[in-house]
Amino acid sequence: MGATRTDDLPPADLPEVAFAGRSNVGKSSLINAVTGRSHLARASNAPGRTREVNLFVLDDRLRLVDLPGYGFARASRSEAKKFQNLGRAYLRGRPNLKRAYLLIDARHGLKAVDAEALDALDEAAVSYQLVLTKADKLKPAEVAEVAARSLAQVARRAAAFPRVLATSAETGAGLAELRAEIAAACGLAPEA
């Protein structure tokens, strides 16, 4: 389901994990890869396509949440601010939110535009973890370097989880580790 207002969100009856990141970082593609469903979250080449909080129920055990992207979007400033404020309101108001995953393009690492998202996560006191996307576009040593640099950049942030995951929706790299992190964050035993 999609919610354009926090009042439209379902009851906080299942654990939730949220995916946040810049527009075009690959949120929808990663959600599709993690769930093994190629068309669950709508992927687009147009930045700023996600303009609502999209929730996906998995096996009646947890919800994956796709938050609106930030940074460049093909929308007016007021409209972009509206759906970005919706994401912030979601982060502040969900007692069942177990972790947010902040997606970072491995080719670029953390950028200045990510600082606002990091601040919003810290302000909301939400445990969050950095996840590098598109890791298949770099050599393994380069991915390790970006991961180490990114971890160092968030090391002093209280809500940052002290591990960076590298993933690729294209090759499947890192997906098993991300699924395990999600299950652990939600207090769920992995299914056999």
Side-chain angles (χ1 to χ4, degrees), residues 14-15 17 19 31 34-37 40 55-65 179 182 188 191:
L14 289 174
V17 294
F19 289 80
I31 288 171
V34 165
T35 61
R37 307 259 321 264
L40 182 65
L55 301 103
F56 306 97
V57 177
L58 299 182
D59 295 327
D60 293 321
R61 299 172 73 200
L62 72 119
R63 285 188 196 97
L64 293 185
V65 181
R179 287 184 193 109
I182 291 169
L188 301 173
E191 289 193 337

Side-chain angles (χ1 to χ4, degrees), residues 81-92:
K81 191 153 201 72
K82 183 179 167 186
F83 56 78
Q84 289 168 1
N85 285 341
L86 173 64
R88 282 190 194 88
Y90 167 83
L91 292 172
R92 286 191 306 267

Side-chain angles (χ1 to χ4, degrees), residues 81-157:
K81 191 153 201 72
K82 183 179 167 186
F83 56 78
Q84 289 168 1
N85 285 341
L86 173 64
R88 282 190 194 88
Y90 167 83
L91 292 172
R92 286 191 306 267
R94 293 302 275 186
N96 56 327
L97 177 59
K98 302 304 181 186
R99 182 164 304 148
Y101 294 95
L102 184 60
L103 308 188
I104 304 296
D105 188 322
R107 299 170 298 179
H108 307 296
L110 281 166
K111 294 179 117 179
V113 71
D114 295 312
E116 192 176 332
L118 292 168
D119 291 344
L121 289 162
D122 284 335
E123 239 175 70
V126 172
S127 171
Y128 62 91
Q129 185 170 4
L130 299 184
V131 176
L132 301 179
T133 60
K134 306 176 186 183
D136 58 300
K137 309 291 185 201
L138 298 174
K139 294 177 180 161
E142 294 171 318
V143 172
E145 181 184 314
V146 173
R149 187 172 63 242
S150 300
L151 186 58
Q153 288 174 284
V154 299
R156 292 181 185 250
R157 291 180 174 269

